[in-house]
Amino acid sequence: MANEVKLHGVTGSPFVCRAVIALNLKEIKYEFVAEDLSNKSADLLKYNPVYKKVPVLVHNGNPISESLVIVEYIDEVWKGVPILPQDAYEKAQARFWAKFMDDKCFPAVFKAVSSHGEEQAVAEVHEALQFLENELKVKGSKFFGGDNINLVDIAATFVAFWIGAVEEALGIELLPKDKFPKLTEWSDNYVNCQAVKDSLPPRENIVAFFKKRFGKA
Amino acid sequence: MANEVKLHGVTGSPFVCRAVIALNLKEIKYEFVAEDLSNKSADLLKYNPVYKKVPVLVHNGNPISESLVIVEYIDEVWKGVPILPQDAYEKAQARFWAKFMDDKCFPAVFKAVSSHGEEQAVAEVHEALQFLENELKVKGSKFFGGDNINLVDIAATFVAFWIGAVEEALGIELLPKDKFPKLTEWSDNYVNCQAVKDSLPPRENIVAFFKKRFGKA
């Protein structure tokens, strides 16, 4: 059977990066189709007519949208390193925390960035991150997934990598080490995993992007 | 092994109702723990410290939050009627559409309701529902799940049942039959499935709730 895998994306997106990490973890060969978001391809519009957004994974012609749905799909179709826990309860917990990244953490970070670090917005980021700090403390493990990274770690990629770039670009503090020692340690461990390291965009590009887009004139 | 199942919820919530439908579909015996949202129980605060929201399913003492996560958990733990497709691609599609209900449809309906049917808000509801109408047309099946209901149908419970109650309560039209013939037919079929019918709150209570909360004085 043909096993053609394409990923429509842009470098620099933490959501696209989730799919890239999952593909790299499973050692899947794929073609990266770079999209221009100011002039989206006909394929992207056809594959994701609802949101017209990246990432879209196209496996043997079948398109899949939504980064966490893509990661679960990759985990189900390709064996090798598991991304979701096998136990049903642990799996449910992983899905809960992955969803938490999108529903609570990401919007909070976005608000803090677009408000240039407004006090209340930063407090909301800290409130969200405190749940993650506690979770790591309770688990007492290197990653949210235990000894190895799982869906939650992948979902939290923007915490480990993008937040640092934002802090540098805008001079605001979202993840202070003294307040979040576990999360800081996790970030360091996570971005140094080989599959993650191979998937991240150059940090200076992200810093430059945030400076240009959100920096004070 | 003990198999104690409790569901913390309120009657009248379409999110709680998703869990109830999944439990009824699988013919699982459970205890419904009615929560008072103006005076949440210590258990609820302990089980869902992040959102402090219902539904929370507690299985042998292990709490699970987020309605779609709960439905997937129920499907994995209890055999019987399957709620998610077996095929990985179909499963990904089901997860995409279930998420669409929460990310796109529900906020649109909420906005239309709280704005008393403001024109632009209603147009956004129609835009979202049009995707569902098209999906049913392409599938040509009785349910989003085919011959039987699946995760997508369960996620769309508020479309099938709550929207009609809102229309009656507020005198606004969100799901006109001539514009959405497939979705209207699906709604009728869906609310008449035995497991769904047994799970829905009395319609007059929902109508009364919306009249009181959102009706014009």
Side-chain angles (χ1 to χ4, degrees):
Chain A
M1 180 183 138
N3 217 353
E4 191 193 57
V5 182
K6 292 184 183 186
L7 181 67
H8 289 252
V10 291
T11 55
S13 153
F15 298 100
V16 172
C17 197
R18 289 172 174 173
V20 172
I21 292 169
L23 289 164
N24 284 340
L25 262 180
K26 298 276 190 177
E27 300 181 358
I28 301 164
K29 286 205 170 68
Y30 68 97
E31 180 191 341
F32 187 84
V33 183
E35 289 286 343
D36 172 0
L37 295 184
S38 62
N39 182 23
K40 293 171 183 175
S41 73
D43 276 346
L44 178 59
L45 302 180
K46 181 180 77 183
Y47 289 145
N48 188 358
V50 176
Y51 299 108
K52 306 174 181 72
K53 278 185 185 169
V54 291
V56 176
L57 184 80
V58 187
H59 183 206
N60 296 330
N62 293 321
I64 302 147
S65 301
E66 295 288 343
S67 63
L68 295 178
V69 175
I70 291 172
V71 173
E72 288 223 33
Y73 176 81
I74 289 170
D75 192 41
E76 267 184 67
V77 171
W78 284 275
K79 302 305 159 202
V81 191
I83 295 177
L84 271 95
Q86 298 306 297
D87 174 76
Y89 183 67
E90 285 178 32
K91 202 183 287 186
Q93 292 304 98
R95 286 184 179 132
F96 173 86
W97 286 112
K99 191 169 155 48
F100 173 81
M101 305 298 169
D102 286 357
D103 292 355
K104 199 97 173 171
C105 280
F106 189 82
V109 170
F110 186 82
K111 199 172 148 193
V113 169
S114 49
S115 70
H116 304 284
E118 185 270 321
E119 196 178 341
Q120 174 59 25
V122 172
E124 281 171 34
V125 172
H126 289 177
E127 190 192 338
L129 295 182
Q130 192 61 52
F131 284 111
L132 301 181
E133 177 76 12
N134 296 349
E135 186 64 10
L136 283 170
K137 209 174 285 173
V138 168
K139 287 185 91 87
S141 55
K142 190 172 175 186
F143 300 112
F144 288 100
D147 292 334
N148 297 298
I149 69 175
N150 80 356
L151 179 73
V152 183
D153 298 279
I154 295 175
T157 303
F158 72 92
V159 175
F161 185 73
W162 268 260
I163 281 187
V166 161
E167 288 179 319
E168 187 185 328
L170 306 185
I172 61 178
E173 204 173 29
L174 297 178
L175 185 63
K177 194 173 178 172
D178 56 340
K179 198 172 163 68
F180 301 107
K182 292 281 171 202
L183 206 47
T184 307
E185 192 186 342
W186 164 82
S187 296
D188 291 343
N189 287 329
Y190 179 67
V191 298
N192 281 304
C193 288
Q194 199 58 48
V196 177
K197 204 190 282 189
D198 293 345
S199 308
L200 295 171
R203 187 184 155 103
E204 59 271 25
N205 294 9
I206 305 301
V207 173
F209 167 82
F210 280 106
K211 270 194 179 156
K212 193 174 165 191
R213 172 97 186 262
F214 296 104
K216 283 182 177 161
Chain B
M1 180 182 139
N3 216 354
E4 191 192 57
V5 183
K6 292 184 182 185
L7 181 68
H8 289 251
V10 292
T11 56
S13 154
F15 298 101
V16 173
C17 197
R18 289 173 175 172
V20 173
I21 291 169
L23 289 164
N24 283 340
L25 262 180
K26 297 277 188 177
E27 300 181 357
I28 301 164
K29 285 202 171 69
Y30 68 98
E31 179 191 341
F32 188 84
V33 183
E35 288 285 343
D36 172 0
L37 295 185
S38 63
N39 182 22
K40 294 170 184 177
S41 74
D43 276 346
L44 177 60
L45 303 180
K46 180 180 77 183
Y47 289 146
N48 188 358
V50 177
Y51 300 108
K52 306 173 180 72
K53 277 184 184 170
V54 290
V56 175
L57 184 80
V58 187
H59 183 207
N60 296 331
N62 292 322
I64 302 148
S65 301
E66 295 288 345
S67 63
L68 295 178
V69 175
I70 291 172
V71 173
E72 287 222 34
Y73 176 81
I74 290 170
D75 192 41
E76 267 184 66
V77 172
W78 286 274
K79 301 307 161 200
V81 191
I83 295 176
L84 270 95
Q86 297 308 297
D87 173 76
Y89 183 67
E90 285 178 32
K91 202 183 287 183
Q93 292 305 97
R95 286 182 179 135
F96 173 85
W97 286 111
K99 189 168 157 48
F100 173 81
M101 304 299 170
D102 285 358
D103 291 355
K104 199 94 174 174
C105 279
F106 188 82
V109 170
F110 186 82
K111 199 172 147 191
V113 169
S114 49
S115 70
H116 304 285
E118 185 269 322
E119 196 177 340
Q120 175 58 26
V122 172
E124 281 171 34
V125 173
H126 289 177
E127 192 192 336
L129 295 182
Q130 191 61 52
F131 284 111
L132 301 181
E133 178 74 11
N134 296 348
E135 187 63 11
L136 283 170
K137 209 175 281 172
V138 168
K139 287 185 91 88
S141 55
K142 191 173 175 185
F143 299 111
F144 288 101
D147 292 336
N148 298 297
I149 68 176
N150 79 358
L151 179 73
V152 183
D153 298 278
I154 295 175
T157 304
F158 72 92
V159 174
F161 185 72
W162 268 259
I163 281 188
V166 161
E167 288 179 319
E168 188 185 328
L170 306 185
I172 61 178
E173 204 172 28
L174 297 178
L175 184 63
K177 195 174 178 172
D178 56 340
K179 199 172 164 68
F180 301 107
K182 293 281 172 200
L183 205 48
T184 307
E185 193 185 341
W186 165 81
S187 295
D188 291 343
N189 287 328
Y190 180 67
V191 298
N192 282 303
C193 289
Q194 199 58 47
V196 177
K197 204 190 282 189
D198 293 345
S199 309
L200 295 171
R203 188 185 155 102
E204 60 270 26
N205 294 8
I206 306 301
V207 173
F209 167 82
F210 280 105
K211 270 194 179 156
K212 192 174 167 192
R213 170 98 187 261
F214 296 104
K216 284 184 178 160

